[in-house]
Amino acid sequence: MQLIDGKKISLEIQEQIAAEVKTLVATGHKQPHLAAILVGNDGGSETYVAAKIKACENVGFKSTLLRFAADTSEEKLLEAVVGLNNDSDVDGFIVQLPLPKHINEHKVTETILPQKDVDGFHPVNLGRMVLNLPSYISATPYGITKLLEAYNIETGGKNCVVIGRSHIVGSPMSILLAKNTKYGNCTVTLCHSKTKDLKSHTLNADIIVCALGIPEFLKADMVKEGAVVIDVGTTRVAAPETKSGFKLKGDVKFDEVAPKCSYITPVPGGVGPMTIASLLMNTLLAAKKEIYA
Ligand code: NAP
């Protein structure tokens, strides 16, 4: 069994980005600039946004954080999005999800200019990705393709099960794995809460991507020997013994599944750091105007 070290790969990507930023700036280009909008003070969102801002510092990007109270109106938030769309110094920006219930996430996402949508959530970017046109690819699935590439994991012709069909992880992941690319050419089964006899699918899978948000959902008896297991889940569970009072749990019962795997990602330190690396890669592409020339 080999552990897939997402933290290491993410840092390697960040080093490459930092070198490229130095060259860009030395040749008269402005510093790439990522902005983030954070609404409310959800602990998880605070942590993710802080990690993204820190990663910007690591690679030499400028970053801006716009904070809004949890009761901010949808109208005010949309105004901020339009403001960032029109700010020529900002190359790309994200609106950290989830948003409070009174705000329509789709409306917010669709208001972001596709050219600045470095999270890759806008329908134009999703559509372009499906059509093999240049696009920003959703950060988490993009990061997973980079992990598969980094570890030279053979995907062509393999049976792959993706569990979870969210718009930001499971669905785009299933499309990417089926594409005719180096990290694709899988035969993909997309499972969800209405899937019958999920175990019969996972037992037939060479690669399993777990993205459902139920801690330790995937057990050893659901996995065949030699499978590659990618754990996207990050659920906060209470852990009074830790400083923060919680621990991050993946969707995979790691201790019992890992011995059966050829490769497996840990939580934390697997997919999470790659999501950040992908966001930085997308922002660099935005700064270089490579996707929408
Ligand atoms: P989501 O929007 O909550 O969707 C969950 C998906 O799981 C749904 O499609 C749901 O099916 C499916 N599901 C729920 N229970 C199931 C069951 N018993 N059997 C099979 N499928 C089931 O999830 P998400 O936003 O993609 O997030 C999933 C997890 O990934 C969460 O833990 C989240 O925190 C984590 N995450 C991590 C990163 C990272 O960077 N590491 C990034 C994004 C998300 P239905 O569609 O039928 O309801």
Side-chain angles (χ1 to χ4, degrees):
M1 182 276 291
Q2 187 169 354
L3 201 63
I4 297 179
D5 190 343
K7 198 169 169 192
K8 175 170 154 269
I9 305 297
S10 172
L11 288 175
E12 285 172 10
I13 291 172
Q14 290 184 42
E15 275 171 26
Q16 288 161 16
I17 294 174
E20 204 173 329
V21 170
K22 266 196 185 143
T23 311
L24 277 177
V25 173
T27 52
H29 199 287
K30 79 170 186 63
Q31 219 183 345
H33 184 180
L34 174 72
I37 292 181
L38 179 60
V39 185
N41 37 26
D42 171 75
S45 295
E46 292 269 0
T47 310
Y48 297 135
V49 169
K52 289 167 187 175
I53 301 279
K54 169 119 192 344
C56 283
E57 283 166 19
N58 290 347
V59 298
F61 286 1
K62 187 174 164 186
S63 63
T64 301
L65 173 59
L66 301 181
R67 282 178 171 277
F68 292 88
D71 62 356
T72 297
S73 68
E74 184 179 284
E75 195 187 352
K76 194 149 180 236
L77 186 62
L78 291 174
E79 267 171 32
V81 169
V82 172
L84 291 176
N85 283 343
N86 293 332
D87 183 341
S88 59
D89 192 62
V90 171
D91 297 298
F93 65 98
I94 61 163
V95 178
Q96 185 65 42
L97 301 179
L99 290 170
K101 295 245 178 307
H102 66 280
I103 297 176
N104 181 332
E105 271 183 17
H106 289 298
K107 206 164 166 184
V108 173
T109 303
E110 288 193 75
T111 304
I112 299 173
L113 269 185
Q115 291 85 336
K116 294 196 176 190
D117 165 45
V118 286
D119 250 340
F121 296 164
H122 192 284
V124 167
N125 279 312
L126 273 170
R128 288 174 68 106
M129 183 270 281
V130 172
L131 296 171
N132 292 333
L133 294 170
S135 67
Y136 300 116
I137 300 174
S138 304
T140 302
Y142 186 26
I144 293 171
T145 66
K146 289 286 164 195
L147 282 181
L148 296 171
E149 281 180 352
Y151 281 82
N152 286 315
I153 293 171
E154 181 57 54
T155 55
K158 304 285 181 188
N159 290 330
C160 177
V161 165
V162 178
I163 313 176
R165 58 179 164 186
S166 72
H167 299 312
I168 62 171
V169 186
S171 291
M173 188 77 255
S174 67
I175 294 166
L176 289 167
L177 287 166
K179 278 186 180 294
N180 185 1
T181 54
K182 191 173 166 225
Y183 54 75
N185 286 314
C186 294
T187 303
V188 181
T189 306
L190 181 57
C191 297
H192 42 77
S193 68
K194 309 290 186 297
T195 298
K196 287 204 172 103
D197 195 8
L198 184 87
K199 191 171 158 181
S200 68
H201 297 286
T202 55
L203 276 176
N204 190 36
D206 304 303
I207 301 171
I208 302 173
V209 179
C210 256
L212 67 161
I214 301 181
E216 302 190 328
F217 177 85
L218 193 80
K219 313 274 193 299
D221 67 350
M222 299 166 77
V223 179
K224 78 172 178 187
E225 284 293 336
V228 175
V229 172
I230 308 288
D231 189 352
V232 183
T234 46
T235 306
R236 282 181 163 208
V237 295
E241 73 280 9
T242 64
K243 209 170 123 195
S244 59
F246 67 86
K247 261 192 203 163
L248 278 190
K249 275 259 180 236
D251 288 345
V252 177
K253 198 159 172 52
F254 185 89
D255 291 347
E256 63 174 56
V257 172
K260 293 185 86 173
C261 296
S262 53
Y263 294 89
I264 187 166
T265 60
V267 175
V271 173
M274 292 304 293
T275 299
I276 290 179
S278 305
L279 179 65
L280 298 174
M281 287 191 281
N282 280 343
T283 305
L284 186 60
L285 288 172
K288 295 195 298 182
K289 311 256 179 297
E290 283 197 2
I291 301 289
Y292 295 91

